[in-house]
């Protein structure tokens, strides 16, 4: 009878909890038989008095020993058949053992006294006094069906597996009336006996007196915990968000963060960020719609009066937010004008500011929303010539004149950072101090030390050296070089980091050729055959870059031995001494080479299929014609000196066909050199001035945004002389360009077309 056993308090102290028992419609041995109504066992279960239950138990034992009653359909006869049948509970264990094929001597079952709990422990206090004995007070007594222990304590309850299978063990516990006022205990039910006292568990209740000191103490401790750790740290989900509607769009809980970690300025910034989030999200308006939907659901399935108190504050907040939107619209237009000044890289003229304001106002009069009107006004800024071009105003006449501070700031910023001036440059331009020589020198050194100087490495150095696009190079044979695609980005990064570091620390221009260091990650180091470069010190992610010294001793050093250069100036499946030699001659030394004739037959693509000839021998045979030799003798030796590097920059002693590499050469002037070390030494001694001059020419042309002209020759000569006297400081080269008339002045309006 379900009603007879419900409701009652559960093990967590919740009153009036309902419990239900279910069984399959079709009974089975696993589920166990149902008890016949009116049988001895049914009466035993229903009995409440101890004596009566004992009498019924004895009668049940006699029934099983005597055999089934004569009346076949009586309740006890049905009970006997259920208990004594092969599928019944008494023979269940034997049936399971037989099904599992178990044999041999069985372990002796525990005696009846081993099961459950010693009956003598019930109804007794820890001192040994019985519930019916003499105690200090009535409140100290316990009933005969209860146990009383002093914590910490373990009560072992041993039950037959067949009896316990499929059932839940439930026990209820409370503090004894005689326990101390500050007592507290936590109850646990475990399948195994613990080794000692268990630590406090957060998922189990703590039993205390309702108004005792222990309750106050524990609640205070929990409150202190909550003051340090917000609920969001302890629970994966604080606010349940319905797929259809929710009244909590953003859940803010950062009081602990503010109190424990932030100062006043940081706390104010946090509040401002939250305010910006609410403003941008328009959640005050969204909440009105969500509330309306919620009320519709509540009207159908619940009591809408519960949500009625929320109506007024939600609508008041929305009305306040609408007023704020209107009040802040002029500030947005002002922000557009400030942004336009940044985009134009100078202060707006009065007419430009008036034009943008007029555009916004005209759009609003045409019933365009505020947000859309702001977008269209911004679009007007982006299509303006002042944004798209670096416009400079030349002086009247033919004579040159100085650019103004704002124009100079743009020239300097785009030269070194490939971007608009930052706040410090704008501040100096506003004060009219940027044109001062001391200010320019200071800004050059500051900007070279900024991480944005990486753009100078990318846009100037990598473009000058024709390695700007190595990361996208897809012309290598995957059959010959299957690792190239995974490494090409690292090859590009090595060269970029090399030049960014050179500019940032003011290294020597000669380091481009003679550096004994480079920058590697784990993948590129393995490609070069360099050990000891493994991931990152902390993360070990294999992508960490670091400076590696001693490269010359490993056959590397400087730009000539970097994979980006060697891979770019090679073929798809072989090296190309002609490409590499031409690159050294034209790009590094500034020599002009005539274009090759159109009818020159190409060399084989695969160096492993060249009729027993090395690539070098093929080139030498190719230029045996005297007409070809005139040009090739000017650069082939540079390419031959780099033949120890394959088409993707790996060191090799033999080519793909297993033939030995010969990297020894003699220059046209009779100078012998061998390999990359010999070529490096030749360029640094015999061709140093040519290389430095080429660097200065390329840097000056990049800074001015035009080709170098005859009028620039004096400046180039001064730069070479100054570099030679100052250890070829690359920062000095930048300074001299920035301080030059070419960089600081603009030709007159009437001389714009003259050379």
């Amino acid at each position: 009878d379900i009603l007879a056993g419900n409701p009652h308090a559960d093990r967590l102290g919740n009153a009036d909890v309902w419990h239900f028992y279910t069984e399959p419609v079709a009974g089975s041995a696993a589920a166990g038989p149902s008890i016949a109504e009116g049988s001895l066992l049914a009466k035993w279960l229903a009995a409440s008095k101890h004596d009566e239950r004992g009498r019924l138990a004895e009668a049940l034992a006699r029934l099983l020993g005597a055999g089934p009653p004569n009346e076949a359909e009586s309740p006890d006869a049905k009970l006997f058949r259920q208990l004594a049948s092969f599928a019944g509970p008494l023979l269940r264990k034997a049936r399971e053992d037989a099904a599992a094929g178990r044999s041999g001597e069985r372990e002796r079952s525990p005696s009846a006294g081993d099961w459950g709990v010693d009956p003598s422990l019930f109804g007794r206090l820890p001192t040994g006094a019985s519930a019916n004995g003499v105690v200090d007070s009535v409140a100290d007594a316990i009933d005969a069906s209860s146990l009383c222990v002093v914590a910490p304590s373990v009560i072992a309850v041993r039950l037959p597996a067949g009896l316990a299978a499929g059932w839940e063990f439930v026990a209820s516990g409370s503090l004894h009336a005689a326990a101390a006022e500050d007592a507290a205990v936590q109850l646990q039910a475990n399948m195994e006996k613990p080794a000692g006292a268990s630590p406090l568990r957060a998922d189990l209740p703590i039993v205390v007196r309702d108004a005792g000191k222990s309750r106050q103490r524990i609640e205070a401790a929990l409150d202190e915990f909550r003051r340090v750790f917000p609920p969001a740290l302890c629970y994966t989900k604080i606010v349940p968000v319905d797929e259809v509607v929710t009244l909590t769009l953003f859940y803010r809980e950062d009081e602990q963060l503010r109190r424990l970690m932030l100062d006043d300025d940081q706390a104010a910034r946090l509040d401002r960020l939250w305010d910006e989030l609410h403003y941008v999200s328009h959640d005050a308006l969204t909440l009105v719609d969500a509330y309306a939907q919620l009320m519709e659901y509540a009207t159908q399935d619940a009591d809408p009066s519960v949500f009625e108190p929320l109506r007024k504050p939600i609508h008041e907040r929305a009305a306040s937010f609408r007023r704020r939107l209107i009040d802040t619209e002029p500030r947005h237009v002002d922000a557009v004008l400030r942004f336009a000044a940044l985009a134009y890289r100078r202060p707006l003229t009065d007419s430009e500011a008036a034009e943008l304001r007029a555009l916004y106002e005209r759009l609003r009069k045409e019933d365009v929303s505020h947000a859309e009107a702001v977008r269209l006004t911004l679009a007007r800024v982006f299509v303006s010539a002042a944004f798209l071009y670096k416009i400079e105003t030349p002086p009247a006449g033919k004579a040159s004149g100085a650019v103004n501070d704002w124009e100079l700031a743009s020239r300097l910023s785009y030269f070194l950072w490939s971007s608009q001036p930052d706040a410090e440059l704008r501040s100096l331009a506003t004060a009219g101090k940027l044109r001062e020589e001391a200010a320019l020198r200071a800004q050059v050194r500051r900007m070279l030390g900024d991480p944005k100087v990486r753009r100078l490495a990318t846009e100037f150095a990598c473009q000058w050296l024709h390695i700007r696009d190595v990361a996208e190079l897809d012309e290598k044979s995957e059959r010959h070089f299957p690792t190239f695609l995974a490494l090409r980005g690292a090859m590009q990064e090595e060269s970029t980091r090399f030049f960014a570091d050179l500019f940032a620390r003011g290294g020597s221009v000669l380091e481009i050729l003679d550096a004994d260091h480079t920058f590697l990650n784990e993948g590129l180091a393995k490609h070069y055959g360099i050990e000891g470069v493994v991931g990152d010190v902390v993360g070990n992610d294999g992508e960490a870059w670091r400076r590696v010294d001693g490269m010359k001793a490993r056959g590397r050093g400087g730009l000539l031995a970097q994979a980006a250069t060697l891979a770019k100036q090679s073929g798809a499946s072989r090296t190309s001494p002609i490409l590499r030699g031409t690159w050294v001659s034209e790009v590094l030394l500034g020599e002009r080479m005539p274009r090759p004739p159109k009818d020159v037959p190409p060399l084989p693509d695969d160096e492993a299929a060249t009729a027993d000839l090395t690539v070098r021998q093929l080139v030498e045979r190719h230029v045996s014609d005297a007409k070809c030799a005139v040009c090739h003798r000017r650069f082939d030796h540079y390419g031959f000196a780099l033949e120890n590097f394959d088409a993707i920059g790996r060191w090799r002693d033999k080519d793909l066909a297993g033939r030995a590499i010969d990297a020894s050469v003699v220059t046209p002037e009779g100078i012998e050199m061998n390999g990359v070390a010999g070529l490096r030494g030749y360029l640094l001694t015999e061709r140093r001035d040519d290389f430095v001059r080429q660097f200065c020419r390329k840097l000056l042309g990049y800074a001015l945004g035009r080709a170098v002209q005859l009028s620039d020759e004096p400046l180039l000569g001064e730069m070479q002389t100054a570099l030679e006297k100052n250890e070829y400081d690359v920062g000095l080269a930048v300074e001299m360009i920035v301080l030059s008339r070419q960089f600081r002045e603009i030709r007159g309006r009437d001389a714009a077309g003259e050379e």
Side-chain angles (χ1 to χ4, degrees):
D1 184 356
I2 292 177
L3 297 178
N6 284 293
H8 62 80
D10 67 3
R11 61 188 179 91
L12 301 181
N14 301 305
D16 300 331
V17 177
W18 281 73
H19 294 253
F20 299 89
Y21 171 77
T22 59
E23 63 181 1
V25 175
S28 64
S34 59
I35 299 174
E37 184 177 358
S39 65
L40 289 172
L41 184 56
K43 294 176 182 178
W44 179 83
L45 291 173
S48 59
K49 296 182 178 180
H50 181 74
D51 294 343
E52 182 181 3
R53 290 173 67 93
R55 180 179 57 78
L56 291 171
E58 292 175 356
L60 179 60
R62 289 193 298 271
L63 171 67
L64 292 175
N70 295 328
E71 300 179 6
E73 298 302 322
S74 67
D76 287 339
K78 294 180 180 179
L79 175 66
F80 180 88
R81 289 195 298 270
Q82 291 173 342
L83 297 179
S85 68
F86 182 72
L90 297 181
L91 298 179
R92 176 181 174 186
K93 185 65 177 177
R95 183 178 68 252
E96 292 176 350
D97 289 348
R102 299 172 184 168
S103 60
E105 183 180 354
R106 294 180 52 84
E107 180 182 355
R108 184 184 66 84
S109 299
S111 63
D114 294 334
W115 299 117
V117 181
D118 185 357
S120 64
L121 299 179
F122 286 88
R124 300 179 65 87
L125 297 176
T127 57
S130 68
N132 298 323
V134 179
V135 293
D136 293 338
S137 65
V138 177
D140 289 339
I142 60 173
D143 62 79
S145 62
S146 297
L147 297 169
C148 184
V149 297
V150 176
S153 180
V154 176
I155 300 175
V157 182
R158 196 161 186 266
L159 301 174
L163 177 65
W167 293 87
E168 179 183 15
F169 182 85
V170 178
S172 60
S174 62
L175 290 173
H176 191 271
E181 186 178 357
D182 61 346
V185 67
Q186 190 173 68
L187 307 179
Q188 298 182 26
N190 301 311
M191 293 296 293
E192 297 180 357
K193 185 177 181 179
S198 301
L200 186 69
R201 286 177 48 176
D203 59 337
L204 295 178
I206 302 174
V207 181
V208 297
R209 294 190 183 281
D210 286 342
K213 294 181 179 179
S214 59
R215 182 186 187 99
Q216 299 175 3
R217 173 174 54 83
I218 294 175
E219 285 183 344
L222 295 177
D223 288 340
E224 180 62 25
F225 180 89
R226 284 188 287 267
R227 292 185 71 244
V228 178
F229 301 102
L233 192 67
C234 306
Y235 300 93
T236 57
K237 197 172 186 179
I238 297 295
V239 179
V241 179
D242 188 87
E243 295 181 357
V244 180
V245 60
T246 177
L247 292 183
T248 305
L249 300 181
F250 303 109
Y251 185 80
R252 180 178 182 181
E253 188 174 66
D254 48 31
E255 189 275 332
Q256 288 84 353
L257 172 68
R258 172 197 298 269
R259 175 169 47 83
L260 299 174
M261 303 183 67
L262 304 184
D263 57 29
D264 292 342
D265 292 339
Q266 293 169 331
R269 181 170 182 263
L270 181 63
D271 290 338
R272 185 173 68 255
L273 291 173
W274 270 104
D275 182 64
E276 291 176 0
L277 175 63
H278 289 304
Y279 185 90
V280 173
S281 66
H282 288 202
D283 64 328
L285 304 182
T286 306
L287 197 59
V288 174
D289 298 332
Y291 177 77
Q293 295 182 52
L294 183 64
M295 289 299 288
E296 291 180 5
Y297 291 126
T299 302
Q300 300 173 8
D301 303 326
D303 182 7
S305 62
V306 176
F307 302 100
E308 189 60 37
L310 300 175
R311 182 187 301 275
K312 184 177 180 180
I314 287 177
H315 284 272
E316 287 180 347
R317 181 185 173 199
S320 175
F321 183 72
R322 291 189 184 94
R323 291 192 298 271
R324 184 182 179 189
L325 287 178
I326 296 175
D327 294 340
T328 54
E329 287 181 358
R331 296 169 57 186
H332 297 160
V333 179
D334 293 338
V336 170
L337 298 184
R338 290 194 299 271
F339 175 79
L342 294 176
Y344 295 172
R345 301 169 293 280
R346 57 169 174 75
L348 296 183
T349 64
D350 293 341
S351 60
E352 289 171 334
E355 178 189 356
L356 292 175
R357 288 188 183 277
L359 173 61
Y360 168 81
E361 293 171 359
R362 183 169 68 254
L363 291 170
R364 295 291 280 140
K365 290 179 180 178
E366 295 174 359
D367 293 332
V368 177
S369 69
H370 167 69
E372 186 63 19
V374 168
R375 293 190 187 97
L376 292 173
T377 307
L378 282 172
R380 176 66 183 86
V381 173
F382 289 135
V383 299
S384 171
F387 171 72
L388 298 174
Y389 302 99
K390 291 191 293 182
I391 299 176
E392 297 175 345
T393 305
K398 294 184 177 182
S400 63
V403 296
N404 63 41
D405 286 79
W406 289 99
E407 294 166 348
L408 184 58
S410 288
R411 285 192 177 190
L412 184 57
S413 183
Y414 280 94
F415 172 27
L416 299 182
W417 288 347
S418 299
S419 183
Q420 64 183 17
D422 67 350
E424 186 166 338
L425 286 175
R426 294 197 303 270
S427 176
L428 289 171
T430 301
K433 297 181 178 180
L434 186 57
R435 283 179 290 181
E436 298 176 2
E437 184 173 320
L440 279 176
R441 290 183 186 275
Q443 289 305 304
V444 166
R445 294 298 176 174
R446 177 184 74 87
M447 296 174 71
L448 287 177
D450 190 279
K452 291 192 285 292
V453 80
R454 176 184 171 91
R455 299 170 188 169
L456 181 62
T458 300
E459 302 303 324
F460 162 63
C462 291
Q463 289 199 71
W464 162 41
L465 299 169
H466 300 178
I467 54 175
R468 177 69 173 81
D469 59 347
V470 171
E472 289 79 39
L473 186 62
D474 58 359
E475 299 172 355
K476 298 296 178 183
S477 168
E478 292 190 29
R479 179 170 64 89
H480 292 86
F481 309 110
T483 62
F484 175 73
L485 287 180
L487 288 172
R488 59 184 181 175
M491 295 176 181
Q492 178 81 63
E493 184 68 13
E494 176 192 17
S495 298
T496 302
R497 286 178 177 264
F498 176 83
F499 281 102
D501 171 73
L502 178 69
F503 290 125
R505 59 183 173 81
S508 168
V509 174
L510 299 183
E511 288 185 29
I512 298 174
L513 299 176
D514 196 37
D516 193 31
H517 69 275
T518 191
F519 292 84
L520 300 176
N521 68 352
E522 182 176 342
L524 196 57
K526 290 180 179 179
H527 181 70
Y528 286 165
I530 297 176
E531 299 179 353
V533 180
V534 181
D536 180 47
V537 176
V538 179
N540 197 33
D541 57 6
E543 293 298 327
W545 288 84
R546 80 290 311 271
R547 172 174 167 147
V548 180
D549 295 305
M551 297 302 295
K552 291 182 181 179
R554 298 179 171 97
R556 301 280 170 178
L559 180 70
L560 293 173
Q562 290 183 3
T565 300
L566 297 164
K568 185 63 183 297
Q569 306 305 324
S570 295
S573 56
R574 62 169 176 82
T575 60
S576 177
I578 296 175
L579 287 178
R580 289 176 175 176
T582 304
W583 177 82
V584 172
S585 181
E586 292 186 340
V587 175
L588 296 185
L589 301 178
E591 298 175 340
R592 292 187 178 182
M593 296 294 170
R595 296 294 92 189
K598 295 182 180 181
D599 56 350
V600 176
L603 296 177
D605 290 333
D606 192 342
E607 70 180 29
T610 56
D612 296 329
L613 295 177
T614 64
V615 172
R616 174 171 180 168
Q617 291 168 339
L618 285 172
V619 174
E620 290 173 341
R621 188 179 68 176
H622 175 74
V623 299
S624 59
D625 189 326
K627 293 184 295 184
C628 297
V630 173
C631 293
H632 280 268
R633 67 188 302 270
R634 298 173 57 185
F635 55 77
D636 280 352
H637 51 286
Y638 301 140
F640 294 150
L642 297 173
E643 272 295 275
N644 279 120
F645 300 104
D646 69 6
I648 59 173
R650 294 177 300 193
W651 180 268
R652 62 179 186 170
D653 295 312
K654 296 181 179 181
D655 65 10
L656 293 179
R659 297 179 289 254
I661 298 297
D662 180 12
S664 61
V665 295
V666 179
T667 67
E669 57 268 33
I671 299 176
E672 296 182 359
M673 58 183 184
N674 188 9
V676 65
L679 176 58
R680 183 190 303 117
Y682 170 79
L683 294 176
L684 288 171
T685 55
E686 303 299 324
R687 304 300 300 272
R688 173 184 297 186
D689 291 343
D690 295 329
F691 170 73
V692 173
R693 177 179 175 80
Q694 174 71 347
F695 172 81
C696 293
R697 288 184 68 255
K698 290 297 181 178
L699 185 63
L700 177 62
Y702 176 79
L704 299 179
R706 61 169 174 78
V708 174
Q709 301 172 357
L710 182 61
S711 58
D712 299 321
E713 291 298 326
L715 174 59
L716 292 174
E718 293 172 4
M719 291 176 64
Q720 282 189 265
T721 301
L723 288 175
E724 185 176 1
K725 294 179 179 179
N726 291 276
E727 299 181 346
Y728 296 93
D729 179 7
V730 69
L732 177 61
V734 174
E735 272 189 21
M736 294 186 69
I737 291 174
V738 171
L739 294 174
S740 67
R741 290 181 63 247
Q742 288 92 326
F743 192 83
R744 301 168 67 181
E745 294 185 0
I746 184 173
R747 289 183 295 180
R749 187 182 301 112
D750 297 336
E754 297 182 359
E755 288 294 333

